[in-house]
Amino acid sequence: LLSSLLQSESRMFNGVEKDCPSPTEKLARKESLKLQKQNYRQEKKRAARELCSALKDPSVVIMSNWLKIRGSLKSWTKLWCALKPGVLLIYKTPKADQWVGTILLSACKLIERPSKKDGFCFKVYHPLDKSIWAFKGPKGENVGSITQPLPSNYLIFRAASESDGRCWMDALELALSCSSLYKLTAKGGKEGDIITSSESSHILHLLQLNDSVLLGNHHMEHDGFSDKSEREAHDDWDTAANENGGRLTEESDMDQSDELSPGPQATAYVEQSTEEMAEAGEASLVETVSEENKGLIWTLLKQLRPGMDLSKVVLPTFILEPRSFLDKLSDYYYHADLLSQATLEETGYGRIKQVLRWYLSGFYKKPKGLKKPYNPILGETFRCCWLHPQTDSCTFYIAEQVSHHPPISAFYICNRKDGFSINGSILAKSKFYGNSLSAILDGKARLLFLGRDEEYVITMPYAHCKGILYGTMTLELGGKVTIECEKTKCFTELEFKLKPFLGGSCSVNQISGKICVGEELLATIDGHWDNEVFINEKRSGQQETLWNPSSDIRSSRLKRQVVQIDQQGEFESERLWQHVTSAIMDRDQLRATQEKFVLEEAQRGEAKERGEKPWSSQLFHQDPVTSEWTYRHMDTRPWDPERCLVQFEKDGVVQTHEKNQSVSSKGKLHCFLSSQTAPDI
């Protein structure tokens, strides 16, 4: 009996004896499985739709708060950070109207960073030292509003407390895991028919484009690691990450951290908030003088004689543009990216044509009506810069009034990373001719392409105002100007034409010119300097637009960054003239005249105290042979990406952070920071 039972159990265990369901039960079980699979698929689709909707909804924010971010120059800036699936958006304010930058998290790693300061530090970085930034903003912005240079391949954040920092670390890990899910939503539109916002679709496009760039550049890197030691180092990092709950800590950063070596601080710039700019055409250069101001003009004219120099004449404030002449000279660099493009041109003719395009871009920005900027005070300075989003560089502008009698303004412009600098000085002279007067800008600007050792010598037109005693007051540009490069033998001549007596509106602001290489005429130029300018190629016989300041061009130009007035020195233009400017903006001519008189009297008093002692410029020095003024801290070395880290400015001095490289006895390359460099290289 026992043997029989054991055999029976053995047969049941091996499946020999099983219940045989009836055909009806089989059909019912099949239908039940089919229903379960259908419910399973529907549940999957529902979950996918909910995830897609959450990822594409612009209102979905994982976390947002203030964080301090360290720039390339070791200074910290407090910015508003909004974390969304796949991206970290950085703004200047919580209103999200001043976008700073977007970090693409799809290829980023997260690491905790020890710090001796208060708060909690962590770092988001690209493991292959590639850029972590999106090239456009969430709404398609081309240029971010930043206050200081930020690293390209990492960012260091500081939260107010450890608990806040841990929350950010958790949230970032969630966003990092969501970044791959975010990219998959592009394929889910067929089932869910979800309409995405322009912001979310743009972010999705950036994430997908970033992946394609990474994959496209992969063949340029070594497959895997180059040697065994690097593989072992990578394994050690993985082990450290596992021991710390999947997070990395960055102990090695402590040796180079800002807590141990503060280093130099760079000037903090902010984007200029407002500016006044007239439209193109004759109307913007014509002004009707009120009866009250006509009386002031007649009083002024009684003191003048034809041919008299107006540099020592005190002009009424109603004709003043509320900014310094040093500020006005910076109008030529809102399109400095054209010079960046010129350095890349293969031929000398291509480069001078691009230089001419940049030269023409500096004239359309003008005030409404007939206005004259302030005559700078001796020793007055002005500085600003323009960020280049396409090349991740910056063009700096430094100017100083180096002489008062005669009035000479010296200026220096530099963008070493893009390979150009400009040095020059302008002697402003005014002549009175009865019913008209001319403002002559006597001087030269020397444009240098650093990598090519090419110098372009550039001159300026004069400004002519007529209709002072009778007729309508009108401002025009006149005279012949040249752009010449001795090395390439390229030469450009332009003539700014005054309106003829019987000319119509089409004859206003006309220019004509030519481009030659040696003795050969290659192209002719014609058009209007505040509108469209055409170039006629002699070899091909084709005509094309050389320059046209259309509304699109104006809106996409570089954004000027300025120093906030409370951070300016006493002799910086905006701070120096702030009371005069305030009175002019309030249309209080009496107060403006009084404030202007105070500045002029102070300058006379300083000149009297100085006596025969020569005045010394702070930023420029004069060549005793040529009498030209040159920037004291000019650096004409070409940019070396292996050594040069970032260009910055402090107290009017444009500098470059560099790293020194040396090879150890083991054959590995080690990078040591010099006393001027920033950490985290």
Side-chain angles (χ1 to χ4, degrees), residues 269-389:
Y269 287 88
V270 296
E271 185 176 319
Q272 183 176 344
S273 56
T274 58
E275 64 175 325
E276 184 183 40
M277 185 163 56
E279 297 297 326
E282 184 178 12
S284 64
L285 301 175
V286 175
E287 183 169 2
T288 302
V289 183
S290 64
E291 293 298 325
E292 177 185 359
N293 292 334
K294 281 183 179 179
L296 294 175
I297 290 181
W298 276 109
T299 303
L300 174 66
L301 293 178
K302 292 177 182 178
Q303 312 170 33
L304 305 180
R305 301 180 303 277
M308 183 177 179
D309 186 356
L310 301 182
S311 61
K312 297 183 180 182
V313 178
V314 179
L315 299 177
T317 56
F318 76 88
I319 68 170
L320 294 179
E321 181 184 359
R323 60 171 177 160
S324 173
F325 180 67
L326 300 180
D327 184 348
K328 188 176 181 66
L329 286 176
S330 71
D331 289 351
Y332 291 92
Y333 307 100
Y334 281 86
H335 296 277
D337 51 335
L338 295 176
L339 290 177
S340 303
Q341 298 169 21
T343 61
L344 304 177
E345 291 288 336
E346 295 293 335
T347 64
Y349 173 65
R351 289 191 291 276
I352 198 169
K353 188 164 70 170
Q354 191 73 0
V355 170
L356 177 57
R357 182 178 285 114
W358 159 76
Y359 182 79
L360 293 170
S361 72
F363 292 102
Y364 71 85
K365 185 181 184 298
K366 50 186 181 288
K368 297 177 181 178
L370 296 179
K371 301 296 180 183
K372 176 189 176 301
Y374 308 140
N375 289 330
I377 302 294
L378 181 64
E380 177 184 334
T381 61
F382 181 81
R383 52 182 170 163
C384 62
C385 67
W386 293 264
L387 301 169
H388 296 238

Side-chain angles (χ1 to χ4, degrees), residues 5 101 122-123 188 241 243 380 425 461 511 514 538 588 625 640:
L5 289 172
F122 57 91
K123 179 177 178 180
E243 292 174 354
E380 177 184 334
S425 58
I511 60 170
K514 60 183 179 180
K538 288 299 182 181
D588 189 341
V625 178
D640 182 0

Side-chain angles (χ1 to χ4, degrees), residues 365-508:
K365 185 181 184 298
K366 50 186 181 288
K368 297 177 181 178
L370 296 179
K371 301 296 180 183
K372 176 189 176 301
Y374 308 140
N375 289 330
I377 302 294
L378 181 64
E380 177 184 334
T381 61
F382 181 81
R383 52 182 170 163
C384 62
C385 67
W386 293 264
L387 301 169
H388 296 238
Q390 299 297 329
T391 58
D392 192 26
S393 64
C394 186
T395 295
F396 292 94
Y397 170 88
I398 308 293
E400 183 181 9
Q401 190 71 8
V402 295
S403 174
H404 187 62
H405 290 303
I408 299 177
S409 305
F411 51 89
Y412 176 70
I413 299 89
C414 183
N415 187 330
R416 277 194 65 206
K417 186 174 183 180
D418 286 0
F420 67 86
S421 68
I422 301 175
N423 195 97
S425 58
I426 294 292
L427 167 60
K429 299 185 293 184
S430 300
K431 293 291 184 179
F432 176 64
Y433 301 110
N435 191 43
S436 64
L437 60 86
S438 293
I440 303 169
L441 302 181
D442 187 10
K444 297 176 181 178
R446 297 184 179 273
L447 166 63
L448 180 64
F449 286 158
L450 306 181
R452 300 180 181 275
D453 195 26
E454 290 179 2
E455 185 180 69
Y456 295 78
V457 182
I458 304 169
T459 60
M460 298 292 294
Y462 66 87
H464 185 73
C465 179
K466 60 184 179 182
I468 297 177
L469 299 178
Y470 55 87
T472 304
M473 289 185 65
T474 306
L475 179 66
E476 299 175 272
L477 296 181
K480 289 184 178 182
V481 301
T482 57
I483 303 174
E484 186 174 5
C485 178
E486 183 178 359
K487 183 176 181 179
T488 62
K489 306 302 180 183
C490 292
F491 176 84
T492 295
E493 183 181 83
L494 280 181
E495 182 180 5
F496 290 76
K497 300 179 179 180
L498 301 179
K499 180 182 177 181
F501 183 74
L502 299 177
S505 58
C506 62
S507 60
V508 176

Side-chain angles (χ1 to χ4, degrees), residues 223-238:
D223 189 11
F225 296 96
S226 58
D227 58 12
K228 181 179 178 181
S229 62
E230 293 186 3
R231 287 196 299 272
E232 292 172 349
H234 185 264
D235 293 339
D236 292 340
W237 276 63
D238 289 341

Side-chain angles (χ1 to χ4, degrees), residues 637-648:
R637 295 175 299 162
W639 183 268
D640 182 0
E642 298 298 325
R643 289 179 54 88
C644 302
L645 302 175
V646 64
Q647 195 175 22
F648 70 100

Side-chain angles (χ1 to χ4, degrees), residues 69-76 111-115 121-126 129-130 132 149-158 237 249-262 643-646 657-659 671-674 676-681:
I69 301 178
R70 197 181 73 170
S72 302
L73 308 176
K74 296 197 260 187
S75 57
W76 293 85
I111 187 172
E112 180 182 338
R113 189 175 188 276
S115 174
C121 279
F122 57 91
K123 179 177 178 180
V124 175
Y125 70 100
H126 195 294
D129 289 335
K130 302 293 184 182
I132 62 175
L150 296 176
S152 62
N153 57 346
Y154 71 90
L155 269 191
I156 298 175
F157 299 85
R158 182 185 297 279
W237 276 63
T249 57
E250 193 179 20
E251 298 291 347
S252 61
D253 241 5
M254 291 295 293
D255 295 338
Q256 301 172 355
S257 66
D258 57 299
E259 292 87 348
L260 300 180
S261 56
R643 289 179 54 88
C644 302
L645 302 175
V646 64
H657 281 260
E658 296 181 352
K659 60 181 178 182
C671 299
F672 298 95
L673 297 175
S674 66
Q676 296 184 346
T677 57
D680 287 291
I681 305 307

